[in-house]
Amino acid sequence: MFLTIPSQPVPIQEIPLDKNIKLFIKREDLIHPLISGNKYWKLFYNINKYLEQNPKNPFLITFGGAFSNHIAAVAALGKLAGISTLGIIRGEELISKWKDNPTLLFASRNKMNLKFITREEYRNKEKLTEFLQHEFPEALVIPEGGTNQDAVEGVKMMLNDDTKDFDYLCTAVGTGGTIAGISKHCEEYQKVIGIKAVEDSSLEDKIFGLTLKRNFNLIDSGLGGYGKIKDENVLFINNFKEKYDIPLDPVYTGKMMQKVFELIDEGYFPEKSRILCFHTGGLQGIEGANMLLIQQKREIII
């Protein structure tokens, strides 16, 4: 199964503000029910170029953590396309309890084989990739988060004539592939803002390596990295859904939108600015987040 460009454009919704600033959100989360948001575009060229080679026994291998949107997306893609998949999962402590994890259970039900490795082994993904490519020479080994040059070119599809009428383009940042694609392919007059969802001091250099551009600004969300969910963010996500009927995930877009609202209140954006935020999907992660919140006897995401 080749990934295709949807026949209908992804909708852009305005978020009404009582300010002299216009705020909009591009609903990439609606692009596919299972291969959601930026994951669809990051996989677009990776999988299509691979299938164009007509591999005799197609096989997808990739990496991710316990609640990885990327793992879920690759598993779903594999099942839809009839391609075998292998997920290399960070944390061997999950071996005995992965069935309690909604993301990993979803991946398994979509016929992805799961291999759990230590966090130390996981950190050396270059060596691990070389080993896997040698062991499975016909496989497509996709990096963590799907981030590579093909992903950057795929993210270009998130930009079109409808996105040219904005001064600022805002996205959450994890492995850097999405902001790299936006930065590389946006208009010269547009400013790109990345709200970091992970604490990684090397992100700026990684993004530059993918784009050879410095037309972006990285800002910490102030809400913690992966796996950290603050009560204030849960409250923001729930209020946002009630007010605008748009669900947000607690790892990426939820943190990004909260920070954008804070920046607006702080006067970061000049008056009459037109701001476009990208909803990068990841809604599958809400179930896992709520599982943790229930265990901690905290308010859940609605």
Side-chain angles (χ1 to χ4, degrees):
M1 182 193 92
F2 287 83
L3 294 180
T4 59
I5 298 174
S7 57
Q8 297 296 320
V10 174
I12 294 176
Q13 295 179 229
E14 183 171 3
I15 306 299
L17 298 176
D18 186 22
K19 296 179 182 293
N20 194 15
I21 283 177
K22 294 287 188 179
L23 177 64
F24 298 80
I25 187 167
K26 190 164 188 279
R27 297 292 305 276
E28 296 291 343
D29 59 304
L30 300 177
I31 196 168
H32 191 280
L34 297 176
I35 311 167
S36 176
N38 61 339
K39 301 306 178 190
Y40 189 95
W41 296 120
K42 290 169 86 173
L43 290 168
F44 187 85
Y45 284 118
N46 274 288
I47 188 66
N48 287 354
K49 285 184 177 182
Y50 177 63
L51 293 179
E52 284 172 0
Q53 300 170 16
N54 293 313
K56 186 176 180 181
N57 297 299
F59 186 28
L60 306 179
I61 305 174
T62 197
F63 309 85
F67 297 98
S68 167
N69 295 322
H70 176 67
I71 287 290
V74 172
L77 173 60
K79 184 177 180 182
L80 289 170
I83 299 174
S84 298
T85 57
L86 171 64
I88 308 298
I89 309 301
R90 179 181 65 246
E92 62 178 354
E93 72 276 4
L94 295 165
I95 291 175
S96 61
K97 54 185 178 181
W98 67 267
K99 290 183 180 179
D100 296 326
N101 178 294
T103 300
L104 298 181
L105 187 59
F106 171 85
S108 178
R109 286 174 174 170
N110 279 271
K111 300 184 178 180
M112 174 178 272
N113 290 312
L114 304 175
K115 180 177 176 58
F116 300 92
I117 63 174
T118 66
R119 294 171 188 274
E120 183 178 353
E121 290 175 300
Y122 191 88
R123 277 192 287 270
N124 196 352
K125 283 188 286 296
E126 285 188 14
K127 181 179 179 181
L128 193 53
T129 297
E130 289 179 9
F131 172 80
L132 290 166
Q133 201 68 79
H134 177 75
E135 186 175 359
F136 306 102
E138 203 175 13
L140 173 64
V141 182
I142 307 171
E144 181 181 36
T147 292
N148 56 18
Q149 284 294 346
D150 282 336
V152 170
E153 295 309 306
V155 169
K156 180 181 179 180
M157 301 289 190
M158 291 168 58
L159 303 172
N160 53 31
D161 288 342
D162 294 337
T163 65
K164 292 180 180 179
D165 191 30
F166 294 94
D167 306 301
Y168 292 88
L169 304 176
C170 303
T171 185
V173 181
T175 55
T178 301
I179 190 173
I182 293 170
S183 299
K184 183 175 181 178
H185 299 293
C186 71
E187 303 300 315
E188 290 296 324
Y189 54 82
Q190 293 178 313
K191 299 176 180 66
V192 181
I193 307 295
I195 308 301
K196 294 194 295 182
V198 60
E199 298 168 2
D200 183 351
S201 60
S202 67
L203 261 177
E204 186 169 343
D205 289 338
K206 287 178 182 176
I207 296 164
F208 177 74
L210 292 166
T211 64
L212 301 181
K213 288 186 174 184
R214 297 280 188 188
N215 61 338
F216 59 90
N217 185 22
L218 295 180
I219 299 175
D220 197 310
S221 71
L223 294 166
Y226 291 144
K228 294 181 181 178
I229 307 171
K230 292 190 176 182
D231 290 338
E232 63 181 281
N233 192 229
V234 173
L235 179 62
F236 175 86
I237 290 169
N238 288 343
N239 288 341
F240 192 89
K241 185 177 181 182
E242 287 181 353
K243 191 169 184 178
Y244 306 114
D245 195 29
I246 300 174
L248 303 174
D249 80 288
V251 177
Y252 294 103
T253 309
K255 291 178 180 177
M256 184 263 294
M257 289 305 302
Q258 182 170 344
K259 188 62 181 180
V260 168
F261 270 70
E262 290 176 5
L263 292 173
I264 291 172
D265 289 340
E266 293 166 2
Y268 180 90
F269 302 101
E271 288 198 1
K272 298 184 180 180
S273 293
R274 290 176 59 82
I275 306 164
L276 179 63
C277 298
F278 291 90
H279 193 316
T280 51
L283 298 177
Q284 68 85 28
I286 292 176
E287 185 179 357
N290 280 343
M291 180 186 73
L292 296 176
L293 291 169
I294 290 170
Q295 290 173 357
Q296 297 165 5
K297 297 182 179 180
R298 296 163 59 195
E299 182 179 354
I300 65 169
I301 297 167
I302 58 174

